[in-house]
Amino acid sequence: MAGIPLYFVDLQDDLDDFGFEDYGPDCESMRINAFLDIPGQDNLTPLARLEKYAFSDNVFNRQIIARGLLDVLRDFSSNEEDFLTVMEIIVRLSEDAEPTIRTELMEQIPQITIFLQESRPHFPRAFSEYLMPIVVHYLKDHNNQVRKSCHEALLILLEQDLINQNDLENKVCPILLELSAPEIDNEHKVEAVNIICKTISMLGRQTVEQMLLPRFCDLCSDAKLFQARKVCAANFGDVCSAVGQEATEKFLIPKFVELCSDSAWGMRKVCAECFMAVSYTTSSEIRRTKLSPLFINLISDPCRWVRQTAFQSLGPFISTFANPSSAALYVKDDGSLSIKPPPPIEDVSSSCVRDSTELAESPGNRANATPDNADSNKHLERCTIYSTELNHDKVDATCSAIEDDAMSHCNKFHANSIQGEARVGDVFNSFNFWRSPLPDISEELELLHVEKAKDSKPSSKCNQYLVSSDIKMVIQSLQGHMDDPDVQTQIEVLSAALRAAELDTVNQEEIQNAQQEDSSADICPKYPALPEPEREEPSIVKPVEDTMSSCELSVSIEYDQEDQNLDSSDEERPKIQDVVPQPLLDQYLSMTDPVRAQTVDTEITKHCAYSLPGVALTLGRQNWHCLKETYETLAADVQWKVRRTLAFSIHELAVILGDKLTAADLVPIFNGFLKDLDEVRIGVLKHLYDFLKLLHTDIRREYLYQLQEFLTTDNHRNWRFRYELAEQLILILDLYNPKDVYDYLRILALTLCSDKVSEVRWISFKLVVAILQKFYANGENELGLNFINELIVQFRHSSKWVARQAFAFICQVIVQDECIPAEQFATQLLPNLLSLASDPVPNVRVLLAKALKQTLLEKPYFTSLGNPHLENVEKTVLAMQLDKDQDVRFFSGTQPKRHVNSTPIEQSVD
């Protein structure tokens, strides 16, 4: 370009005559080089020529200079003096009166800054001294386009960490505070608020708290400017994450409460959108006491748009109540749920008993105990006696009924006494985690349960089941473990029961009166007699502080009259839990109500289904009974999009619930999805392996009969459905034994190999190889040999060239993956493979050449000296090198092999 006689003129048309119209927008560097390198009549140096045209009267010349500043700096960066001269020219150019020039210059600032960052040893202060003042000055530019370009450039500089901390604190933050002052006009203030909100998340926490956080709080309360408050509300979650929990609770939560109560419905709607992000930053106490009532107000907002947004955010907000420290799951890097090695998990009733007992026995509660509280404490002791360990498979039906009854009473106590309080269950309890196990006294405890007293006329109900001699035997068995404090407590309790049992002078009438008083106060419920406990799961009496009467210690107290009809099934258990505030859960469960679809949002059930796995993870499997009915309602929803959402997440829900609840509650719904529309079935198909691996072996085996149903689709052109089935079958092979694979999955694989779509066939060939590998990996050589013979008949001797080509590909993959021993491949498959050299179709011979040259002859077994099969392979290759087809000769030749992964398109031209 230096030799082209190009002169600068004032008219664009003259420039076009010299060929500028041939340059695109990416050729600005060629233009600037042309400007600077052309030897003209002015006899100016390139640097002087740059200064001349940078301040030319022609706007176009100045615009080209502004666009090419990065190339100019690179050209003059070898000399420090010239470089500083260029920087001064840039500063003077930034004062140009034309807005387009200033805009072009600001758009180049990030790239120039990156270049200066790379050249920092030579020009350490160039950006701070020359470019940073330009950015700060343009933030107050009177042109809207210039300010917009400046905002974008500033955000890029912050994201790339190109501005040092000193410039942020002394140059950027002061100008932002100045532009957001109360006396500034509204247009500049809104822009400043927007840039402040985006800047806060990129600055250090200390800088934000000292400089920008007070101004942000003031802007949240700006009653005159709705736009400023709306921008603050939209970015509230990011600001909370940037400043941390302490500053959020101290400064931002009061402002958030004001914004949620704003008179403008648009403001409340924005607050509902960011509610989850705000909740994540707060503590559990603030989340329960302040944010939960605030969210309830948004759900019941008079504006429909606010209610709609609030219900969409309800599930995510509930998920913030999850306790990661006690969850038995964790999220992998790929985003999927996985099961941790499970620590001992308590039943919900045991957790309820422990939490309630700790609360009732705290010093504050004992000091301020009222008669009602005293009754509640007695009732808690009753719940403690009948709580059992978490192994529902080994506890018989009567024990489960009593446990459920105790849980219901504990739930009543929670609802009345700890409403709005922080959860006590999160407190570490050494008894449940590291305490040494108690001795097995199951045989002695059997003596405590006597079906009928030997006396024809017992003196009291308690004496029907507890005999003083039996209690003495239990106490004697525990004497050898006096070093355990819990055993000492049990001995004290049993001693008190022994003394009470020996009080023969107690009047039967007094006992009946005491029972009537307890029944009226709903303190001492009456339970039926417990059957003899199983030896595998002994029922150990929990220690209590105060001595009790023998009636209270008996494990065979009769039920209350009001609880006799209580069923322990999930359908009739109250939907009460203590993980999240109950009003929030009630509102979430109401999302399936048809009235909500009419008054809030027609797609509210879809949002409910989308959030259900997160809510289930938060509540835990012990509270699944709260969500079971809602899940069944969603699974039967008339909208297929709702069912599709559940189908795509059912495998994650199965991980949360565990194998027992999955088999009882999710398997029937899963079976229903298998017969649904293709849009729903694809959800369960994509995660078929993830779901089946969580099931018990017997239940999993039942699906062998149903997998063939996936071959039938609503639209036969939906080949991706069958492709997904083949991919899932490759994974599912690990879940079944070789015999089941041979009887069921083999047939599916061969059917897919005959599919009309090439993509489905090629993935099915890999499935066939995986099946063969499973047979030989498990020592089922006979099944493998039968399968090989079937492949030879169906593919090698097929009348269709596509099948014969597939046989060559299958053999290539078998050798490549070493699915079977090389000796067996040489005797069972190699002769049939070499016979394809005389196939009339060139495509078959091409794939044979690839299999031999790129795979077979690369294995040491086939290339070792003395191998009896090497001679046949070499003869076949030599014959194919003389083939009449050019491609066959190419792939069988001695030229360097192209080790490229073959694709179905390259392998087949059908």
Side-chain angles (χ1 to χ4, degrees):
M1 295 295 295
I4 299 179
L6 182 64
Y7 300 95
F8 293 97
V9 292
D10 293 338
L11 298 178
Q12 177 66 41
D13 295 339
D14 295 334
L15 290 174
D16 294 339
D17 292 339
F18 286 99
F20 273 125
E21 71 279 358
D22 296 332
Y23 295 142
D26 298 331
C27 299
E28 298 299 338
S29 60
M30 300 177 63
R31 294 187 181 186
I32 193 64
N33 290 336
F35 278 162
L36 302 181
D37 297 339
I38 297 173
Q41 299 178 355
D42 50 10
N43 296 324
L44 296 177
T45 62
L47 189 60
R49 192 175 295 111
L50 169 66
E51 184 175 3
K52 173 182 178 181
Y53 298 125
F55 307 108
S56 171
D57 294 335
N58 191 339
V59 176
F60 178 73
N61 291 344
R62 302 199 306 272
Q63 188 174 3
I64 291 180
I65 294 296
R67 290 183 181 180
L69 284 176
L70 180 60
D71 298 305
V72 172
L73 287 173
R74 289 174 177 170
D75 293 337
F76 292 99
S77 60
S78 58
N79 185 283
E80 182 177 359
E81 184 177 353
D82 293 344
F83 178 83
L84 295 178
T85 302
V86 174
M87 295 302 297
E88 293 176 356
I89 293 175
I90 293 176
V91 173
R92 293 173 56 190
L93 188 64
S94 66
E95 301 173 355
D96 197 290
E98 178 62 36
T100 57
I101 306 299
R102 301 198 300 274
T103 302
E104 293 284 355
L105 174 61
M106 184 51 59
E107 291 177 353
Q108 303 301 315
I109 291 294
Q111 290 80 7
I112 295 176
T113 305
I114 295 175
F115 169 74
L116 296 178
Q117 188 78 8
E118 298 172 353
S119 307
R120 184 175 293 276
H122 301 287
F123 317 105
R125 300 289 300 172
F127 172 76
S128 180
E129 294 180 359
Y130 292 98
L131 299 184
M132 195 65 214
I134 298 176
V135 176
V136 173
H137 178 71
Y138 279 7
L139 287 174
K140 300 188 295 183
D141 197 278
H142 62 275
N143 186 269
N144 184 40
Q145 187 64 32
V146 176
R147 294 197 307 272
K148 183 178 179 181
S149 300
C150 184
H151 294 165
E152 296 176 355
L154 179 59
L155 292 177
I156 294 175
L157 296 175
L158 292 173
E159 291 174 355
Q160 301 292 331
D161 196 19
L162 299 175
I163 306 178
N164 57 51
Q165 192 68 22
N166 184 53
D167 289 339
L168 285 175
E169 296 178 358
N170 300 326
K171 295 180 180 180
V172 177
C173 291
I175 191 62
L176 294 178
L177 294 176
E178 179 184 348
L179 293 175
S180 59
E183 62 274 7
I184 300 298
D185 61 276
N186 295 341
E187 183 178 2
H188 286 74
K189 183 183 293 186
V190 172
E191 294 176 351
V193 172
N194 193 15
I195 196 68
I196 284 175
C197 294
K198 295 180 179 179
T199 304
I200 284 178
S201 60
M202 303 176 189
L203 298 179
R205 181 172 299 181
Q206 184 177 0
T207 303
V208 172
E209 293 181 1
Q210 292 178 355
M211 305 191 69
L212 297 182
L213 186 58
R215 179 54 54 86
F216 179 82
C217 295
D218 295 339
L219 293 171
C220 290
S221 304
D222 192 343
K224 297 181 180 179
L225 191 58
F226 166 79
Q227 291 85 352
R229 302 198 310 275
K230 188 174 182 180
V231 172
C232 292
N235 296 274
F236 212 94
D238 296 334
V239 175
C240 291
S241 301
V243 301
Q245 177 179 330
E246 183 179 356
T248 297
E249 296 179 356
K250 184 177 181 181
F251 301 106
L252 295 180
I253 291 300
K255 299 300 178 181
F256 189 68
V257 173
E258 295 180 6
L259 293 175
C260 290
S261 305
D262 198 276
S263 58
W265 67 266
M267 187 70 61
R268 303 192 300 273
K269 179 178 180 294
V270 173
C271 291
E273 292 175 352
C274 66
F275 217 95
M276 182 190 69
V278 176
S279 178
Y280 265 127
T281 317
T282 61
S283 63
S284 176
E285 181 180 0
I286 296 297
R287 193 177 297 126
R288 283 178 170 271
T289 58
K290 292 186 178 181
L291 295 185
S292 296
L294 196 62
F295 196 87
I296 293 297
N297 293 336
L298 294 177
I299 286 181
S300 57
D301 195 90
C303 179
R304 178 172 182 172
W305 304 112
V306 178
R307 297 196 306 271
Q308 177 178 331
T309 306
F311 273 107
Q312 293 177 9
S313 303
L314 178 56
F317 175 54
I318 290 178
S319 67
T320 61
F321 287 86
N323 186 4
S325 61
S326 61
L329 305 170
Y330 69 99
V331 180
K332 293 182 179 180
D333 295 336
D334 58 358
S336 62
L337 280 176
S338 183
I339 304 176
K340 289 182 179 178
I345 304 175
E346 287 188 315
D347 189 13
V348 64
S349 60
S350 302
S351 176
C352 174
V353 170
R354 186 184 70 251
D355 298 349
S356 303
T357 305
E358 292 175 357
L359 182 63
E361 293 179 355
S362 60
N365 285 352
R366 286 199 297 265
N368 302 321
T370 62
D372 294 337
N373 290 337
D375 295 342
S376 300
N377 291 339
K378 290 183 180 180
H379 179 75
L380 287 174
E381 293 171 349
R382 189 87 68 258
C383 295
T384 305
I385 295 176
Y386 300 108
S387 62
T388 59
E389 299 294 328
L390 180 69
N391 194 338
H392 297 290
D393 291 338
K394 299 180 180 179
V395 180
D396 55 32
T398 309
C399 292
S400 299
I402 292 181
E403 184 177 306
D404 292 338
D405 181 79
M407 182 190 66
S408 64
H409 285 286
C410 292
N411 287 333
K412 294 178 181 178
F413 176 81
H414 269 274
N416 296 328
S417 61
I418 59 172
Q419 182 69 26
E421 295 294 331
R423 281 180 289 168
V424 188
D426 295 340
V427 181
F428 181 82
N429 190 337
S430 60
F431 177 84
N432 297 313
F433 291 89
W434 59 268
R435 158 193 181 286
S436 58
L438 291 175
D440 186 7
I441 58 172
S442 56
E443 295 182 359
E444 289 80 3
L445 285 176
E446 291 178 2
L447 301 176
L448 293 176
H449 303 280
V450 181
E451 296 293 340
K452 295 182 180 180
K454 295 181 179 181
D455 299 332
S456 58
K457 209 169 183 181
S459 59
S460 65
K461 291 184 178 181
C462 299
N463 291 334
Q464 295 177 5
Y465 307 100
L466 291 179
V467 184
S468 59
S469 60
D470 297 334
I471 299 178
K472 290 179 181 180
M473 295 178 61
V474 177
I475 294 176
Q476 292 176 0
S477 65
L478 296 175
Q479 291 296 330
H481 306 281
M482 290 297 294
D483 54 341
D484 193 332
D486 296 324
V487 176
Q488 296 177 9
T489 307
Q490 289 187 14
I491 292 178
E492 294 176 3
V493 173
L494 293 175
S495 300
L498 179 62
R499 291 193 300 269
E502 293 175 349
L503 294 178
D504 297 332
T505 58
V506 178
N507 194 339
Q508 179 69 21
E509 183 177 356
E510 295 177 355
I511 295 177
Q512 294 179 354
N513 294 335
Q515 290 179 351
Q516 292 177 0
E517 293 175 359
D518 293 341
S519 178
S520 61
D522 192 23
I523 297 176
C524 182
K526 300 178 181 180
Y527 295 89
L530 279 175
E532 182 176 348
E534 298 181 5
R535 298 188 175 216
E536 297 177 346
E537 190 68 25
S539 178
I540 300 177
V541 179
K542 301 290 183 179
V544 292
E545 287 188 356
D546 301 328
T547 58
M548 302 179 181
S549 65
S550 58
C551 177
E552 293 171 338
L553 282 169
S554 174
V555 293
S556 57
I557 305 177
E558 296 180 355
Y559 281 106
D560 277 331
Q561 186 66 28
E562 62 180 2
D563 295 331
Q564 288 181 354
N565 297 326
L566 180 63
D567 189 5
S568 61
S569 61
D570 289 340
E571 289 79 2
E572 298 184 10
R573 291 171 64 184
K575 297 180 178 61
I576 300 176
Q577 41 72 50
D578 62 343
V579 180
V580 301
Q582 190 62 34
L584 288 178
L585 182 60
D586 293 340
Q587 292 290 345
Y588 178 80
L589 298 179
S590 69
M591 293 177 70
T592 57
D593 190 346
V595 179
R596 294 292 191 188
Q598 299 177 0
T599 59
V600 180
D601 187 7
T602 56
E603 293 189 352
I604 190 172
T605 52
K606 182 180 178 181
H607 298 294
C608 179
Y610 182 82
S611 304
L612 196 139
V615 176
L617 178 62
T618 303
L619 295 180
R621 65 185 62 173
Q622 69 272 15
N623 292 315
W624 168 242
H625 64 277
C626 299
L627 297 174
K628 179 182 177 182
E629 183 179 351
T630 300
Y631 189 78
E632 293 174 348
T633 303
L634 293 172
D637 196 276
V638 295
Q639 301 183 55
W640 64 266
K641 292 183 179 180
V642 177
R643 304 194 303 274
R644 175 186 170 92
T645 303
L646 295 181
F648 270 95
S649 63
I650 192 171
H651 67 288
E652 300 286 5
L653 190 59
V655 177
I656 298 171
L657 298 184
D659 54 350
K660 297 178 182 178
L661 290 175
T662 297
D665 300 332
L666 296 189
V667 167
I669 295 177
F670 183 84
N671 295 336
F673 288 158
L674 293 179
K675 303 176 182 178
D676 212 312
L677 301 175
D678 286 351
E679 289 79 1
V680 180
R681 296 169 68 202
I682 191 63
V684 296
L685 179 59
K686 279 185 174 294
H687 304 283
L688 186 61
Y689 167 76
D690 298 325
F691 185 82
L692 292 181
K693 70 179 181 180
L694 300 173
L695 301 180
H696 192 268
T697 305
D698 296 337
I699 302 177
R700 184 191 304 155
R701 195 172 185 275
E702 297 177 359
Y703 288 96
L704 287 171
Y705 308 92
Q706 304 182 37
L707 291 176
Q708 60 182 356
E709 297 179 3
F710 284 108
L711 295 175
T712 305
T713 56
D714 298 338
N715 184 2
H716 69 279
R717 297 182 179 180
N718 188 10
W719 62 268
R720 291 179 177 85
F721 201 91
R722 300 187 297 276
Y723 184 92
E724 187 66 39
L725 174 61
E727 284 191 328
Q728 288 295 315
L729 289 177
I730 295 176
L731 301 175
I732 289 174
L733 293 177
D734 296 336
L735 303 179
Y736 297 99
N737 57 61
K739 186 64 170 59
D740 289 336
V741 171
Y742 186 85
D743 293 340
Y744 299 98
L745 302 185
R746 173 186 60 88
I747 301 174
L748 281 176
L750 295 178
T751 303
L752 291 170
C753 288
S754 304
D755 197 89
K756 295 181 179 180
V757 179
S758 175
E759 291 287 342
V760 179
R761 293 198 305 270
W762 288 108
I763 189 64
S764 302
F765 299 153
K766 296 181 180 180
L767 171 61
V768 167
V769 175
I771 292 176
L772 190 62
Q773 185 177 15
K774 184 175 181 64
F775 291 154
Y776 282 94
N778 290 272
E780 298 290 344
N781 295 347
E782 183 178 356
L783 295 179
L785 181 59
N786 294 337
F787 191 47
I788 288 176
N789 294 331
E790 190 171 4
L791 294 178
I792 294 174
V793 172
Q794 181 166 343
F795 293 98
R796 169 60 190 89
H797 299 295
S798 175
S799 59
K800 297 182 179 180
W801 69 268
V802 175
R804 300 193 300 273
Q805 184 191 48
F807 182 78
F809 175 74
I810 292 174
C811 292
Q812 181 181 7
V813 177
I814 290 175
V815 175
Q816 182 177 355
D817 297 343
E818 298 180 355
C819 299
I820 64 176
E823 298 85 354
Q824 297 188 22
F825 177 86
T827 57
Q828 298 170 7
L829 287 174
L830 184 58
N832 292 278
L833 178 64
L834 297 179
S835 64
L836 293 176
S838 59
D839 195 277
V841 180
N843 284 349
V844 178
R845 302 197 302 273
V846 166
L847 208 56
L848 173 62
K850 289 182 179 181
L852 297 179
K853 290 290 292 183
Q854 298 180 3
T855 304
L856 195 71
L857 292 179
E858 295 292 331
K859 297 297 179 180
Y861 174 81
F862 295 98
T863 57
S864 60
L865 295 177
N867 190 310
H869 308 284
L870 179 60
E871 183 179 357
N872 295 331
V873 174
E874 291 179 345
K875 288 181 179 180
T876 304
V877 173
L878 291 176
M880 297 180 71
Q881 289 177 357
L882 303 175
D883 195 276
K884 60 182 180 180
D885 187 84
Q886 180 180 359
D887 292 334
V888 177
R889 296 195 304 270
F890 176 81
F891 286 105
S892 60
T894 58
Q895 74 282 352
K897 296 176 288 296
R898 297 181 297 182
H899 294 282
V900 181
N901 293 332
S902 299
T903 61
I905 297 178
E906 296 172 344
Q907 297 161 352
S908 176
V909 294
D910 60 320

